[in-house]
């Protein structure tokens, strides 16, 4: 069997596994993201410090931020959720001679409906808690184990090909290098998002600005999804900080940062970095989100990189498969 058909089979199996086990494979993919992210500050530090010491500092810093985000997220949701329900339960619009009784009944019933809706949202969130915890553990384990995994793949990757193992090896090496370049660019985008969210929350008086900034930075390595994830605790903290005004301010912050990221910073940085038009990147994200849900956002751009590299190696042919290098 020609190796290009083998690669397509591997790719289809990968998509099927992601479709039916999004939390597990999503965690593994995020772990790969973070393992590359950790190398970015390590490379910068290595210019001034010992290479091994730079890796230790980088790993400690990034894993500490990841751990802090995970252990803080659920307690914040629980604590703020209790405060919200307590406040909502106290709200009752008493009789007002200027308002008809049916309007008062409608307003009071609306308050109960809002409270019930919020409770249902939290129940849905809690139902996913075991999967979120498992995913968090897998992310940390994958991040730590990816160096050994890369060494294992480097040693055994050629055995996955029959017709031309050397070309198959070089194909995946080149694809990984493109993926690495993409994640490195995402570090700049995530840094902008984290600083912007934290700063704006501080300026507008929404408590937990440091936590929200760090959470935005960490989750933004899930491309274009970080601001959506951070919206849950942000809106809850906005409500308990400033009431309805806090929710409005939280929405404004989310919209400003998300729009700048989606239409300016991420497309511009990644478009020039990957040499793919920004509109193609955005359309890919939307399509994969429709097919695979949140995990589709994780694999959309890597899939575009995969297709681009596959086209060059196995459709156009040429000398692409003759370049040797390290995984």
């Amino acid at each position: 069997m020609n190796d290009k058909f083998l690669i397509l089979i591997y790719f289809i199996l990968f998509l099927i596994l992601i479709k039916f086990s999004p939390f597990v494979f999503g965690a593994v993919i995020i772990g790969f993201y973070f393992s590359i992210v950790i190398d970015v500050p390590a490379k910068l530090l290595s210019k001034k410090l010992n290479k091994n010491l730079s890796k230790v500092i980088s790993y400690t810093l990034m894993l500490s931020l990841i751990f802090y985000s995970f252990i803080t997220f659920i307690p914040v949701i629980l604590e703020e959720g209790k405060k919200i329900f307590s406040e909502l339960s106290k709200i009752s619009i008493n009789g007002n001679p200027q308002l008809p009784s049916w309007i008062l009944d409608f307003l009071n019933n609306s308050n109960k409906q809002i409270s019930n809706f919020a409770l249902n949202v939290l129940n849905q969130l809690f139902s996913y808690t075991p999967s979120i915890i498992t995913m968090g553990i897998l992310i940390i384990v994958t991040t730590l184990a990816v160096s050994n995994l890369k060494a294992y793949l480097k040693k055994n990757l050629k055995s996955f090909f029959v017709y031309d193992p050397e070309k198959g090896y070089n194909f995946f090496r080149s694809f990984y290098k493109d993926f690495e370049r993409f994640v490195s660019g995402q570090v700049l985008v995530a840094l902008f998002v984290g600083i912007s969210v934290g700063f704006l929350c501080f300026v507008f008086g929404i408590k937990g600005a440091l936590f929200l900034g760090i959470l935005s930075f960490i989750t933004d390595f899930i491309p274009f999804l970080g601001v959506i994830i951070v919206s849950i605790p942000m809106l809850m903290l906005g409500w308990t900080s400033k009431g309805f005004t806090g929710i409005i301010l939280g929405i404004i912050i989310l919209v400003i940062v998300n729009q700048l990221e989606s239409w300016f910073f991420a497309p511009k940085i990644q478009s020039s970095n990957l040499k793919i038009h920004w509109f193609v990147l955005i359309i890919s994200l939307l399509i994969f989100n429709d097919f695979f849900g949140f995990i589709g956002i994780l694999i959309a751009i890597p899939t575009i990189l995969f297709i681009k590299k596959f086209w060059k190696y196995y459709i156009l042919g040429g000398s692409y498969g003759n370049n040797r290098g390290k995984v």
Side-chain angles (χ1 to χ4, degrees), residues 96-105:
N96 188 322
Q98 297 179 353
L99 293 176
S101 59
W102 66 271
I103 293 181
L104 295 174
D105 291 338

Side-chain angles (χ1 to χ4, degrees), residues 65-291:
L65 292 177
I66 295 170
F67 184 72
Y68 170 77
S69 299
F70 274 112
I71 66 171
T72 307
F73 183 83
I74 297 299
V76 166
I77 297 298
L78 289 171
E79 183 179 349
E80 300 307 315
K82 290 179 181 178
K83 293 179 182 178
I84 291 172
F85 294 140
S86 177
E87 291 181 18
L88 287 175
S89 63
K90 295 177 182 177
I91 297 175
S92 178
I93 302 174
N94 298 320
N96 188 322
Q98 297 179 353
L99 293 176
S101 59
W102 66 271
I103 293 181
L104 295 174
D105 291 338
F106 171 77
L107 293 175
N108 282 316
N109 287 331
S110 297
N111 173 51
K112 293 179 181 178
Q113 291 297 324
I114 293 172
S115 181
N116 290 333
F117 174 75
L119 182 61
N120 288 332
V121 170
L122 278 182
N123 286 333
Q124 287 293 324
L125 179 64
F126 296 151
S127 69
Y128 286 111
T129 298
S131 296
I132 293 173
I133 294 173
T134 301
M135 189 175 187
I137 294 171
L138 281 172
I139 288 171
I140 295 175
V141 171
T142 304
T143 303
L144 292 172
V146 74
S147 296
N148 292 330
L149 183 60
K150 284 171 63 177
Y152 174 83
L153 288 174
K154 179 181 177 181
K155 183 179 179 180
N156 297 279
L157 189 59
K158 292 181 181 179
S159 63
F160 287 88
F161 304 96
V162 177
Y163 180 74
D164 191 345
E166 189 69 25
K167 183 176 182 179
Y169 173 86
N170 287 324
F171 163 74
F172 274 101
R173 175 196 62 80
S174 182
F175 163 68
Y176 179 80
K177 288 296 182 183
D178 283 350
F179 178 68
E180 192 175 46
R181 194 177 299 113
F182 156 68
V183 176
S184 297
Q186 193 65 26
V187 172
L188 297 177
V189 178
L191 186 61
F192 161 78
V193 169
I195 292 174
S196 299
V197 169
F199 176 75
L200 290 174
C201 287
F202 175 78
V203 170
F204 288 122
I206 295 178
K207 62 183 181 180
L210 177 63
F211 161 67
L212 293 172
I214 292 175
L215 183 65
S216 299
F217 172 71
I218 294 298
T219 57
D220 202 68
F221 293 116
I222 308 170
F224 301 89
L225 190 62
V227 177
I228 297 176
I229 295 175
V230 82
S231 66
I232 300 172
M234 178 183 285
L235 295 179
M236 297 180 79
L237 288 165
W239 171 269
T240 56
S241 297
K242 292 180 174 292
F244 185 72
T245 301
I247 293 180
I248 298 299
L249 291 174
I251 292 173
I252 291 173
I253 293 171
L254 291 170
V255 170
I256 290 174
V257 176
N258 188 47
Q259 291 304 305
L260 285 174
E261 179 193 12
S262 299
W263 295 100
F264 184 73
F265 287 97
K268 293 297 182 182
I269 291 173
Q270 298 295 25
S271 179
S272 59
N273 193 26
L274 303 176
K275 295 180 174 57
I276 300 174
H277 196 277
W278 64 269
F279 185 74
V280 174
L281 299 180
I282 292 177
I283 292 298
S284 302
L285 288 164
L286 296 175
I287 292 174
F288 273 78
N289 180 63
D290 282 342
F291 275 97

